[in-house]
Amino acid sequence: MKKYILISSLIVSILLFSCNNFKSETSITSDGISKPKPPKAVGPPRVLFIGNSHMEYFVSGPTLFQELCNANNQNINVQQLITIGVSLNKVYFTNKTEADQNFSNIDKDGNYYDYVIIQESTPIALTNLSKFRDNLKLFAEKIHKNSPDAAIYVYQNMSPLSYANSEYNNYYTELRKNTILAAAFIKNAGVLRVGDAVKDAYEGKSGYKYLTGNKDNLRDGKNTLHFINDGGFLQAVLIYSTIFDKIPIIPKKLLLSTGTGDNDNMRKQEVEKAVTNTKALEEIAFSNR
């Protein structure tokens, strides 16, 4: 997979942002997370992924999800609008021609899209709740024109810091709160609990160990941490579990990353060799569906 160099200033600005400046509007717990109801589909349901490099970089969330669906005889159509390193409004304007075409298509069951997974950039999701809401509204209004009953999942970004950083939990908490608050303003929307699942994995739930030597098996990167094979597998199983309410049967091989270097890419690999603890990650994903 071709990799792009991201401008680090946005993430650097996050790291310099003092947690003391965070302002919570209300106290939100897991009890406040609702689950959207999907429409009844005639034919294969369509799933649209909208976001940036947290969905696709070293590994591809939409591709892994499609592979899990194929292996489990789930006939589903996966589409995506993904642009590396930008906020949701820029994802739209970068892909405006394709997006407008997609949002003008119709289906005989009344909903062109059945599920939409939408991910904001970390800086906005963390520090600008108003912009987060506006950007979600931008897409929601367009989605609802041809898919009025689509189930929308707002992606809960993971803490941008290393788990070893003492501020990890502060950023996790703020991102979680803002995602719940932003999703509450969108019709038939819930939260895709990626941040919760990643935190559980770091904390060793179900016996998972994220470190091999000094190597983080979930994420890698210098200026921005992106999912590698364990993290990408966790995310894909979480998406599947969230939509279908069950753990998928895992195929012998999936399209996973050969590494994080410039000459590495995605290719079919044996899951048990490329992912360190599939069973634990499956359990963590299912518990956060």
Side-chain angles (χ1 to χ4, degrees):
M1 175 185 179
K2 183 178 180 181
K3 293 186 278 289
Y4 300 83
I5 297 175
L6 302 182
I7 298 174
S8 63
S9 60
L10 290 176
I11 298 301
V12 171
S13 68
I14 293 176
L15 302 182
L16 294 176
F17 189 91
S18 169
C19 290
N20 292 330
N21 290 331
F22 290 148
K23 294 183 179 179
S24 300
E25 291 186 10
T26 186
S27 177
I28 299 293
T29 68
S30 59
D31 294 335
I33 298 179
S34 61
K35 190 165 186 176
K37 181 180 179 181
K40 292 182 178 180
V42 176
R46 289 187 185 86
V47 180
L48 174 63
F49 289 82
I50 305 170
N52 61 37
S53 56
H54 291 297
M55 286 189 176
E56 184 170 288
Y57 195 69
F58 295 122
V59 290
S60 170
T63 298
L64 288 172
F65 171 69
Q66 179 76 77
E67 289 189 301
L68 291 180
C69 289
N70 294 344
N72 287 266
N73 296 315
Q74 296 283 0
N75 191 6
I76 201 160
N77 186 315
V78 175
Q79 298 180 17
Q80 63 184 63
L81 293 171
I82 294 176
T83 301
I84 302 289
V86 301
S87 57
L88 277 173
N89 58 317
K90 292 183 179 179
V91 171
Y92 170 71
F93 288 110
T94 301
N95 301 278
K96 188 175 186 301
T97 300
E98 180 184 358
D100 287 346
Q101 176 60 54
N102 290 347
F103 297 140
S104 67
N105 291 332
I106 59 174
D107 201 352
K108 58 184 177 181
D109 63 18
N111 290 281
Y112 187 74
Y113 290 113
D114 301 279
Y115 300 90
V116 178
I117 297 170
I118 184 166
Q119 179 243 324
E120 181 57 277
S121 67
T122 302
I124 287 177
L126 180 63
T127 66
N128 194 335
L129 179 58
S130 176
K131 183 68 172 177
F132 192 0
R133 288 172 176 167
D134 288 346
N135 285 348
L136 287 177
K137 184 179 178 182
L138 167 70
F139 271 104
E141 289 178 345
K142 296 180 182 301
I143 290 163
H144 287 150
K145 288 180 180 179
N146 69 350
S147 307
D149 303 312
I152 297 177
Y153 283 95
V154 181
Y155 188 108
Q156 177 200 356
N157 289 18
M158 65 199 107
S159 174
L161 305 177
S162 163
Y163 184 63
N165 191 299
S166 62
E167 298 295 331
Y168 177 95
N169 283 335
N170 290 326
Y171 286 94
Y172 155 78
T173 300
E174 190 69 8
L175 282 164
R176 188 178 196 277
K177 175 188 69 68
N178 285 351
T179 304
I180 294 170
L181 289 174
F185 281 77
I186 305 300
K187 172 188 171 184
N188 197 28
V191 174
L192 181 68
R193 297 173 57 194
V194 177
D196 287 347
V198 169
K199 185 172 183 289
D200 282 351
Y202 277 131
E203 291 179 345
K205 299 293 177 64
S206 299
Y208 179 74
K209 297 180 180 179
Y210 81 94
L211 281 178
T212 299
N214 291 319
K215 178 181 178 292
D216 184 336
N217 291 313
L218 290 168
R219 303 184 296 170
D220 185 80
K222 294 181 179 179
N223 297 317
T224 304
L225 295 172
H226 290 108
F227 281 136
I228 48 180
N229 289 341
D230 278 21
F233 178 84
L234 173 65
Q235 177 173 244
V237 175
L238 173 64
I239 296 168
Y240 187 98
S241 299
T242 299
I243 289 178
F244 299 113
D245 200 30
K246 59 183 177 181
I247 297 175
I249 296 170
I250 307 300
K252 185 176 181 180
K253 292 185 177 182
L254 286 171
L255 200 60
L256 296 165
S257 176
T258 59
T260 59
D262 291 338
N263 295 322
D264 287 300
N265 52 31
M266 291 188 293
R267 64 175 175 81
K268 286 281 189 178
Q269 298 178 66
E270 291 187 29
V271 177
E272 291 299 327
K273 292 182 179 179
V275 178
T276 65
N277 190 336
T278 57
K279 184 64 175 176
L281 292 170
E282 290 169 32
E283 290 177 358
I284 292 169
F286 189 69
S287 68
N288 284 286
R289 68 194 186 286

